[in-house]
Amino acid sequence: MVPSLNSGSKLGYVVYIILFTCLVFLMFELANDKGKRVGISDTGSYLVSSPIVKISGSDDVVSDTSENVISTLTDSDQLFKSKVRPNSSHSEQILIKKNLMFIKTHKCGTSTIVDVFYLRGVRRRLNFVMNPYQHNLKNLDGHLLPPRPGSVYNMQCQHGTFQPDAEHTIMPKETSLYSTIVRSPVSQFKSAFSFFGAEGKMQKKYGHLSIDALIGHYLDEYPEPTENKASAGRILNSVAVDLGWNTFNRRNLGQTLQEKINAFIEHLDQEMDFVMITDRMNESLILLKEYLGWNMTDIVYLNRMVSSKPKVTMSEETKARILKYQVIDVQIFDHFNKTFELHLDRVGREKVASQVKEFEEMRESFENKCFNKNMTVKGPYGSVSWEITDYGRNTNLACTFLQTRDIKLTNVVTQLQLTQDYTVPIDQPLVMRDMVSKIQRDYDNNEDPV
């Protein structure tokens, strides 16, 4: 039998129940708040609500849960977790994804960018998606270099046609930034026309005519775009081809050309988190840095080749004809050039402009240390390069690395990854082994000046 409670006991019991309920509620809220700050969200993203700090040795402002500060995760964990970076100049938070799936489009300045990506990978011993010793990533379903045991792929940046179904398995979108780059269709065509030998072929066939005449003869060999079809290959609409147009086109045979282009752009819009613009390279790199949580020194590039050919001006009539044939690439470029403005708004235009100014000063200073611009040496494909200084050859070998063609660096990265612990590749020439060893040692010792 339960004894009855007097009025005083009843009041004390009620107070006890209220205090106990408040205590439980408070503990729940504290646990929930802690989970929001240091836990993982449903998408595997870190939700950052902690103070903003500066990383030692960098002017880049990042959250104190950046990859350089987190101490509760392993190195491999830090490389593929995502987080959210507060944006001081805009109310919208930015999702930071730790890995990069980059489709390397032809003649869009991608070789320069890929050298930057390779340098970051070598410094940090990252895992690349690649077929061993192959410059092009031809088969995602075939033999890929495995990542180090217990880790994941961190980056893909070789030439290869975009295959979204396979990509989603290899580099999940939840933790990987999907990106590519496009270029003004006229300048991209002109570069491809020269690089892939079409200009030389027309000269052999018709003589040394003006650039307008040579391009005119080349375009005469292809049918003009119709309501249902446009030529797409290595030169014409090649950006679309790199982004998977041919497969998409075959799957939508019943539609008109414009319907297919509209659907293709919508498809790319859904797949790509951010599309860079070659004609706005520095802004693009700053935005990419923001979306990946990188530092300013991670995106520094060098103008490694200076064309020895005089600039040739095309007539407006020739440009208009190129645009007509480049109908798919034109609409892709126009669309992503517009969405680029939205990314500037999202990150903050003043913030980007300020960082671009800082970046350009940093890059120019670094380039002037790396190169003697009064002396040149012969480079590939009818180009010349500036001579590397003693600083670039001995003090900071990042200069030499960024001057090396990406096709050679592919072999270096292949051998690094094959060692599984990312030590120096043993089968490379001594100069390459020394370069990689010093770059990694300088980074490990925080002695990597830029």
Side-chain angles (χ1 to χ4, degrees), residues 110-126:
T110 50
S111 292
T112 297
I113 300 173
V114 166
D115 277 10
V116 171
F117 294 161
Y118 275 156
L119 178 59
R120 176 179 168 83
V122 168
R123 282 169 168 166
R124 290 165 172 78
R125 298 164 175 83
L126 304 184

Side-chain angles (χ1 to χ4, degrees), residues 21 58 112 129 132 142 163 166 181 195 279 316 321 410 435 444:
T21 303
S58 170
T112 297
V129 178
Q163 305 171 53
I181 187 168
F195 182 83
D279 314 70
E316 293 303 315
R321 195 176 180 201
T410 296
M435 177 179 70
D444 292 340

Side-chain angles (χ1 to χ4, degrees), residues 59-115:
D59 293 330
D60 219 20
V61 179
V62 298
S63 150
D64 68 357
T65 53
S66 75
E67 65 182 78
N68 293 331
V69 177
I70 294 176
S71 60
T72 57
L73 300 177
T74 64
D75 289 341
S76 60
D77 285 334
Q78 293 179 33
L79 299 176
F80 64 85
K81 297 298 183 185
S82 302
K83 59 182 179 290
V84 173
R85 169 180 287 177
N87 183 1
S88 59
S89 61
H90 198 275
S91 60
E92 183 179 353
Q93 287 185 315
I94 298 173
L95 179 66
I96 304 299
K97 296 186 176 181
K98 301 304 295 180
N99 301 320
L100 174 63
M101 195 294 302
F102 180 81
I103 293 298
K104 186 183 180 188
T105 48
H106 285 87
K107 308 318 297 173
C108 291
T110 50
S111 292
T112 297
I113 300 173
V114 166
D115 277 10

Side-chain angles (χ1 to χ4, degrees), residues 386-397:
W386 289 311
E387 184 180 65
I388 298 181
T389 61
D390 288 339
Y391 171 86
R393 282 193 297 265
N394 301 308
T395 304
N396 189 353
L397 294 186

Side-chain angles (χ1 to χ4, degrees), residues 54-61 295-297:
K54 283 193 175 183
I55 298 301
S56 176
S58 170
D59 293 330
D60 219 20
V61 179
N295 297 321
M296 194 79 79
T297 53

